[in-house]
Amino acid sequence: MTGKDSDVLVDRGTMPKIVATGENEKRPTPPPSLAVTLATVESQPPAAATTHQSKAAERGKAMRQVIAAFIANMGTINTGLIFGFSAVVIPQLQAADSLIPVDESQSSWVASLSAIGTPIGCLLSGYVMDTFGRKKALIATQIPTIIGWITIACASSVGWIYAGRVLTGFGSGMVGAPARVYTSEVTQPHLRGMLCALASTGISLGVLIQYTLGAITTWKILSGISIIVPVLALLLMLLMPETPNYLVSKQKPEKALKSLAKLRGSNYNLQREVNQLQAFAAKTNSGNKKKLTFRETVQALVHPSCLKPFAILTIYFMMYQFSGVNTITFYAVEIFRDSGTTMDKYTCTILLGVVRLIFTIIGAILLRRCGRRPLTFVSGIGCGMTMVGLGVYLYFKRQWEMATPPIEPSLTWFPVACIFIFIMACTVGFLIVPWVMIGELYPMKVRGLIGGLTTCMAHSFVFAVVKTYPLLTHVLERHGTFILYGCFSFVGTIFFYLCLPETKGKTLQEIEDYFSGRTKTLKKSKANGGNVAGIESDGQQLLEAKPQLLTVEKNKLLP
């Protein structure tokens, strides 16, 4: 490094020094070529002011990032409204005084048609996100949802309800990947995990809102009220900036600076983060302004940086769906009825929605503190034990009913406890972690496309599990089905232990480097005793030593 270069890195007002180790011996002074690179070394007084300025430069305004993430995820509340709508509308349509009477076959179509539009929306969202931007994708996804709710509210025949359900399902599929990718790209690593979990919280909140309002109002009024959420999401999203990652990938650094200024605040080192994004885009060739050709897109999709996380997340979604979570959600009333509990089945269902929402919020908080892997293990083991426990109880209940004379079931609280503990365990990990990782694991150049494809796979597994449940209950009987679900959870836990990486606190660039093979691990490197070793990382000399001396870790300057 030349003297001219060092002028840029060293503040002449406060000369750097090496921090004392607490030992009586003196440490050798590093050579000038290394000393001038220690941007984070302790300086002469005033130390408190310097530390405060350093923290302000390292982390932007948290509240601005929270607001941006909340607005981006408002559409996921609408997804929850769609999930919960059929549970309250079908009993009203089947009532004797229904304005649009339906039979059992028509009711099943009302419940399932939203799932037909969802995978199509998932696939389209990836193209829209990568071509037009994350912000425009989130705006566009609200349009079919608004039209769908209006169609249902004004329906005069069951055919119009069908059309509205398809449109709302299409919008629900479009919102998933853009909401998570937008959140991951506008937030910093220390906030990203918790804020990306807002999507799961929004879905749980939407389900609970629909259950509650459906108990006190008609389905037409409920449809009209449901329009408010996507309209509000569209209007607020117009005020939000595009993500700096996307703007840099389209070679618009000036706009990226303006976007970061809105998301981080004036005290943050905006230019440094833009420079880092540009350097990473240049390294991965994601900063090319020209559109990727079909061949280049396919090559990017089959590259290890994309293929490895796609395989991990696809298996994750398959394992957690076959743990039985959506079987419990879709057939909650029926399962509570067959469990033999003396509690009212509808009351149990509403309480289940409340528990799901509470533990989604708890899971979002724990995600920041505990990381992805520990919460996944909690879900895998907890879901496995409760499903096996429920299956064993239902087996004995069946034996009691077939006895001569029939034996009165005992411990009727046990199946209810299994179901509630199952939802608690599943919510803190399975219902949050894979959705958060959609916005974390994929490379920038095809993040939207592969994110949409992953969301499509997730919803396909939802359809497969819900559709096969009645068949499995005939083949394996109900107790055998739940034991099978428990076994899926245990097998999934082994897979997660072996293959799932921990991304807590990691930058998106670090994660992409890991899956590309540019780095061997995502774990933090430990200090090597008292030895000082230079490490080459992204063209900069970084230094590791004893924690008492100083520690400059890889990507320390990243936000």
Side-chain angles (χ1 to χ4, degrees), residues 127-136 181 185 242-252 256 277 286-287 444 447:
Y127 171 79
V128 174
M129 200 185 344
D130 283 342
T131 304
F132 302 103
R134 284 62 163 136
K135 175 181 176 179
K136 291 180 180 178
V181 171
E185 292 184 355
E242 181 56 86
T243 70
N245 301 58
Y246 178 80
L247 293 170
V248 167
S249 73
K250 297 301 179 182
Q251 296 184 348
K252 300 178 180 178
L277 292 173
S286 62
M444 176 65 202
R447 186 172 293 158

Side-chain angles (χ1 to χ4, degrees), residues 542-555:
L542 300 176
L543 198 63
E544 283 190 335
K546 277 188 175 181
Q548 297 94 330
L549 178 64
L550 54 88
T551 300
V552 183
E553 297 174 348
K554 181 186 175 193
N555 287 334

Side-chain angles (χ1 to χ4, degrees), residues 266-311:
S266 58
N267 293 330
Y268 183 74
N269 193 335
L270 305 175
Q271 188 61 55
R272 184 188 64 191
E273 182 168 348
V274 171
N275 291 342
Q276 292 166 352
L277 292 173
Q278 286 179 306
F280 189 78
K283 181 172 66 174
T284 58
N285 293 322
S286 62
N288 292 332
K289 197 169 185 178
K290 65 178 183 179
K291 184 180 178 181
L292 291 177
T293 65
F294 176 77
R295 181 178 180 180
E296 290 172 334
T297 301
V298 172
Q299 289 176 340
L301 291 176
V302 299
H303 191 271
S305 64
C306 184
L307 204 57
K308 288 179 182 178
F310 178 72

